Amino acid sequence: MSDDNSDRGGSAPCFQHLIVAGVSIDLEAARDVARFRQAERVRLLAQRKMPLQEREHATKSLVSGLESVITPEPGLKIAVYWPIRGEPDLRQWMASIHKAGATVLLPVVGGKDQPLEFHKWSPGCEMMRGVWNIPVPQNSCAEVPNIVIAPLVGVDESLYRLGNGGGYYDRTLASLDPRPHVIGVGFANCAIETIFPMPWDVPMDEIVLSDGKSLP
């Protein structure tokens, strides 16, 4: 039995698509979106370069915004992040919410294309180098956060996040049940009109930026 459709009439099957979450995605459109995002990522990462005093002021403003939407207390598990590539440095805030009784968690990459795990962190705890040499807690078990603070390379008007390109947060948020409350944080100039969201993208619940903007 032949699979050749050349003598059966009709058109040949088209394989220029991808099924994601039950939705057919045009591969050429997906490639266009990927190229757009990479160009935006390069542009936005370059904008993170700023004088030390300006960065400190922006970070202080961002922390004030976080303090207005989060009340740390015993039993509350908050996943934050270790800053890389010029991300806002929230480590002092992490220490303060730990002191207030909240459990602070840091993301740990288990493997390529795998969801993140969130491991308990405290000031002075033992750390080791994880993937991409990012420090992660050593000898710490994974826990499920109530709140996830996600660093933004960019964010659009519908609260879809542009990250570093690995897709880890999207995979993680899609896998957690119940899903935690997700707050995207970034410097003021990370806002863009759209990232052209795809079916696998997961929007933030709210964002806090260094210019005082908090949405929704």
Side-chain angles (χ1 to χ4, degrees):
M1 180 175 179
S2 172
D3 290 328
D4 185 0
N5 292 318
S6 61
D7 60 352
R8 298 183 185 180
S11 58
C14 176
F15 298 102
Q16 296 302 309
H17 68 281
L18 178 69
I19 304 296
V20 178
V23 179
S24 180
I25 305 300
D26 180 83
L27 288 180
E28 186 60 36
R31 284 192 287 266
D32 288 343
V33 169
R35 285 191 287 264
F36 165 80
R37 291 185 182 184
Q38 182 56 25
E40 281 295 273
R41 194 173 285 116
V42 171
R43 181 182 69 84
L44 292 167
L45 287 173
Q47 290 185 171
R48 281 182 177 172
K49 297 177 182 178
M50 62 184 78
L52 179 59
Q53 187 173 8
E54 181 181 346
R55 174 177 291 275
E56 290 177 345
H57 176 77
T59 302
K60 183 178 180 180
S61 176
L62 179 59
V63 168
S64 294
L66 281 173
E67 290 174 342
S68 71
V69 298
I70 297 176
T71 302
E73 58 187 7
L76 185 65
K77 299 178 182 180
I78 306 173
V80 197
Y81 60 88
W82 197 270
I84 61 171
R85 306 184 75 183
E87 292 169 344
D89 188 346
L90 302 181
R91 285 175 291 183
Q92 288 188 357
W93 180 70
M94 288 160 51
S96 70
I97 62 175
H98 172 268
K99 186 176 180 179
T103 298
V104 180
L105 308 174
L106 287 179
V108 176
V109 177
K112 184 179 180 181
D113 298 331
Q114 296 297 312
L116 298 168
E117 291 185 348
F118 296 100
H119 289 221
K120 187 176 180 180
W121 171 91
S122 60
C125 74
E126 289 188 52
M127 304 283 281
M128 64 180 183
R129 293 286 176 177
V131 175
W132 302 301
N133 285 322
I134 301 172
V136 297
Q138 190 172 12
N139 303 321
S140 177
C141 296
E143 300 192 35
V144 178
N146 306 112
I147 298 172
V148 171
I149 307 297
L152 304 170
V153 173
V155 65
D156 72 12
E157 296 172 354
S158 298
L159 305 191
Y160 282 97
R161 171 182 178 269
L162 182 67
N164 288 314
Y168 289 101
Y169 276 94
D170 290 323
R171 280 191 293 273
T172 303
L173 297 177
S175 70
L176 292 176
D177 185 21
R179 177 183 150 162
H181 186 75
V182 186
I183 303 174
V185 297
F187 295 120
N189 54 13
C190 73
I192 61 176
E193 184 177 352
T194 183
I195 70 164
F196 295 100
M198 304 298 282
W200 53 80
D201 291 314
V202 179
M204 308 293 96
D205 294 305
E206 62 182 308
I207 62 169
V208 175
L209 302 182
S210 61
D211 61 356
K213 181 182 293 185
S214 180
L215 295 173

